[in-house]
Amino acid sequence: MTAYELLFQHGFTRVDPEAAHHLGATAIRAIGAARPGVRTDAALRTRALGREFPTPFGVAAGFDKDATMIAGLGALGFGHVEVGTLTAQPQPGNDRPRLFRLADDRALVNRMGFNNGGAAAAAERIAAAREARSRPVIGVNIGKSRVVDATDAAAVEADYLHSARLLAPVADYLAVNVSSPNTPGLRGLQDERLLEPLLTAIRGAPGSTPVLVKIAPDLDDEQVAGIAALAARIELAGVIATNTTISRGGLTSTADAVAHAGAGGLSGRPVAARSLEVLRILREALPASLEVISVGGVETADDVRERLAAGAALVQGYTGFIYRGPGWAREINRGLLAR
């Protein structure tokens, strides 16, 4: 057991998960200020989305919601940071507590609700982060503001477009989140009849910035293939698969622990199998020119290697950070080099 795992088991598990995240964020920002820059072996360099990534492994959206940890996460060894989810309007998110650990499953349950300070404020921080000589690639994940009625298609489109126009000029790629379970009505936007006009509008807004759509693991295989066909038809840059799941099947945590966590998106090891299945469906359905970023249940270098072998251009993690600690990305990178 590593020093971090001992600290996690005997210390962090007694701290509210969201409070622990904020403590960690403070340390990550300090690391970024002290030794900015991504230091990885040249053999890990990966070409995707029209640019070079220092390593194929990055951190998924949800960890750095307000784009305050970009330099620090790069210094820890992540090749890209997908910030957000950011919304056009600043919003506090759902009531606390809203983040829970299911340690027996190496999982988290969150119902954060896109808490963030808004697209305009984040755009300034991202622009500043881009000035660093050596930095991770910066993806920006955008979602619907809670105040916007999900059934008002024109309002939803205007809301996303506002964020896209502010953030695309400072993003290396733009991710359209229509799959979080924590914003009412959001997942309904994955219906192709609603999704096509929304993505078409966003696709035309950011100029040359690559646009991807992030989908849920709870779609059935036919729906996944349908979104792949849509992405190809409107010439998106690719698909990010997958978000968190609303399923609670196959957990080893006690029923009381699962009930205590309550509603929200489940991430971590329980999502791994379905995330890999969705990746394979997408890779078979998509033309080679469209790329897939795979996320969900990734914790080891072997997990990353498996996703790359299945056709992912890039791989992301989040929950593994909680259970593995600040050396996680470097551990992954060393493992990739070893093979």
Side-chain angles (χ1 to χ4, degrees):
M1 186 175 287
T2 66
Y4 174 82
E5 287 170 330
L6 283 168
L7 178 62
F8 178 84
Q9 183 174 324
H10 299 290
F12 284 157
T13 54
R14 300 175 185 178
V15 179
D16 170 76
E18 190 168 352
H21 180 82
H22 289 309
L23 286 171
T26 300
I28 290 168
R29 284 191 286 270
I31 290 168
R35 51 182 181 94
V38 184
R39 298 170 180 85
T40 57
D41 193 289
L44 290 173
R45 290 175 187 162
T46 301
R47 189 80 183 168
L49 301 175
R51 65 183 57 249
E52 187 174 88
F53 289 68
T55 163
F57 187 56
V59 65
F63 195 91
D64 186 8
K65 290 181 177 293
D66 268 313
T68 65
M69 293 183 268
I70 294 169
L73 290 167
L76 289 177
F78 292 97
H80 69 281
V81 179
E82 190 172 307
V83 302
T85 296
L86 292 162
T87 55
Q89 303 298 321
Q91 55 188 41
N94 294 322
D95 293 338
R96 298 187 186 190
R98 54 194 180 180
L99 183 63
F100 304 85
R101 305 181 192 95
L102 294 178
D104 288 345
D105 288 290
R106 310 283 284 187
L108 296 174
V109 172
N110 93 82
R111 49 177 175 271
M112 304 298 287
F114 291 169
N115 53 305
N116 73 104
E124 296 181 7
R125 288 189 291 274
I126 297 166
R130 289 176 64 90
E131 296 301 313
R133 186 169 57 86
S134 173
R135 63 170 177 84
V137 173
I138 303 170
V140 180
N141 186 296
I142 61 172
K144 182 185 77 67
S145 301
R146 193 180 186 93
V147 295
V148 174
D149 183 354
T151 65
D152 185 340
V156 169
E157 180 178 309
D159 185 68
Y160 272 97
L161 280 173
H162 183 76
S163 294
R165 288 169 178 150
L166 283 171
L167 293 164
V170 295
D172 292 314
Y173 71 84
L174 199 66
V176 182
N177 189 345
V178 290
S179 51
S180 169
N182 301 317
T183 295
L186 188 78
R187 282 193 164 196
L189 297 176
Q190 292 174 110
D191 184 304
E192 284 185 60
R193 294 168 299 175
L194 301 174
L195 188 59
E196 181 161 8
L198 175 64
L199 290 179
T200 299
I202 296 171
R203 170 71 179 80
S208 60
T209 304
V211 176
L212 302 92
V213 62
K214 186 168 185 176
I215 64 173
D218 307 306
L219 298 173
D220 62 35
D221 294 359
E222 184 177 349
Q223 289 172 312
V224 172
I227 289 177
L230 167 60
R233 186 164 63 248
I234 65 174
E235 298 182 328
L236 292 186
V239 180
I240 303 173
T242 60
N243 213 318
T244 57
T245 180
I246 57 174
S247 170
R248 297 295 186 268
L251 297 179
T252 59
S253 297
T254 66
D256 285 347
V258 176
H260 174 70
L266 176 74
S267 63
R269 188 173 289 170
V271 189
R274 180 56 182 166
S275 178
L276 181 57
E277 287 176 354
V278 172
L279 165 61
R280 288 172 170 153
I281 294 166
L282 287 169
R283 197 60 279 164
E284 184 175 343
L286 288 169
S289 58
L290 271 69
E291 294 176 312
V292 181
I293 301 177
S294 185
V295 55
V298 172
E299 192 170 330
T300 69
D302 283 342
D303 294 334
V304 175
R305 194 176 293 109
E306 183 178 35
R307 303 300 174 94
L308 295 172
L314 301 164
V315 181
Q316 296 177 341
Y318 173 174
T319 305
F321 203 144
I322 310 308
Y323 293 101
R324 294 276 184 164
W328 183 44
R330 295 200 181 281
E331 177 188 337
I332 295 281
N333 291 334
R334 286 194 299 268
L336 293 175
L337 283 171
R339 296 283 287 273

